[in-house]
Amino acid sequence: MTFVANVWSYLWGTLTVIPFLGFPIVYYLMWVWKRDKRLAARWAVNITNLLLIRSVVVAYGEIWPEAMSAWWWIVCFYLVFIALLGWMQVRWKGKLSLGKIGFSVWRLSFLWFGLIYVVLITTGIFKTMSVV
């Protein structure tokens, strides 16, 4: 394996275990590139959200290897929240804006998967400690 491939695999592994570390990395890189703090923050949140989803899937699979895949739970989460926010939007505003729903669900998933990540990491630590 080349040096670049090794660095990339270690970085990817580290960001899978500690996804919130991706936030300052992406923020800094985007800020250096574009010199726009708002754009850097948006990119950092979006990339950290993807890292959180990856971390949740991996942690769930490690804690409960024989359970149903976490991807099913993630797809169900998005479908339920899209339907719920769509229903609320039509009920309150009388019209449907898929762009606003998509943005809202994506931001809510950042909070949701951040919470799930903390719960799964805590569960994994307790499960590992109780086995030993």
Side-chain angles (χ1 to χ4, degrees):
M1 231 178 188
T2 66
F3 175 74
V4 173
N6 279 337
V7 169
W8 177 249
S9 65
Y10 286 129
L11 179 64
W12 182 248
T14 302
L15 291 176
T16 298
V17 176
I18 311 167
F20 292 110
L21 187 61
F23 188 90
I25 293 170
V26 173
Y27 184 88
Y28 176 74
L29 291 175
M30 283 301 294
W31 183 79
V32 166
W33 184 32
K34 294 289 187 176
R35 297 284 184 204
D36 183 358
K37 290 181 180 181
R38 198 168 177 174
L39 181 67
R42 271 189 281 157
W43 270 90
V45 168
N46 289 337
I47 298 300
T48 304
N49 198 9
L50 292 172
L51 293 171
L52 279 169
I53 292 170
R54 165 82 176 146
S55 296
V56 165
V57 169
V58 170
Y60 184 86
E62 288 296 319
I63 294 170
W64 298 290
E66 63 280 341
M68 183 172 60
S69 174
W71 287 112
W72 288 106
W73 296 111
I74 291 170
V75 168
C76 288
F77 163 80
Y78 280 112
L79 291 176
V80 165
F81 271 89
I82 287 169
L84 181 65
L85 288 178
W87 175 79
M88 287 172 47
Q89 198 176 63
V90 167
R91 182 118 168 117
W92 290 344
K93 302 279 186 181
K95 61 181 179 173
L96 187 64
S97 172
L98 292 177
K100 287 183 180 182
I101 291 172
F103 178 80
S104 298
V105 169
W106 186 248
R107 288 298 186 242
L108 283 171
S109 73
F110 178 79
L111 297 173
W112 179 249
F113 288 120
L115 176 67
I116 296 292
Y117 168 77
V118 171
V119 168
L120 286 175
I121 292 300
T122 306
T123 303
I125 290 169
F126 282 122
K127 187 175 178 184
T128 302
M129 290 174 66
S130 66
V131 169
V132 176

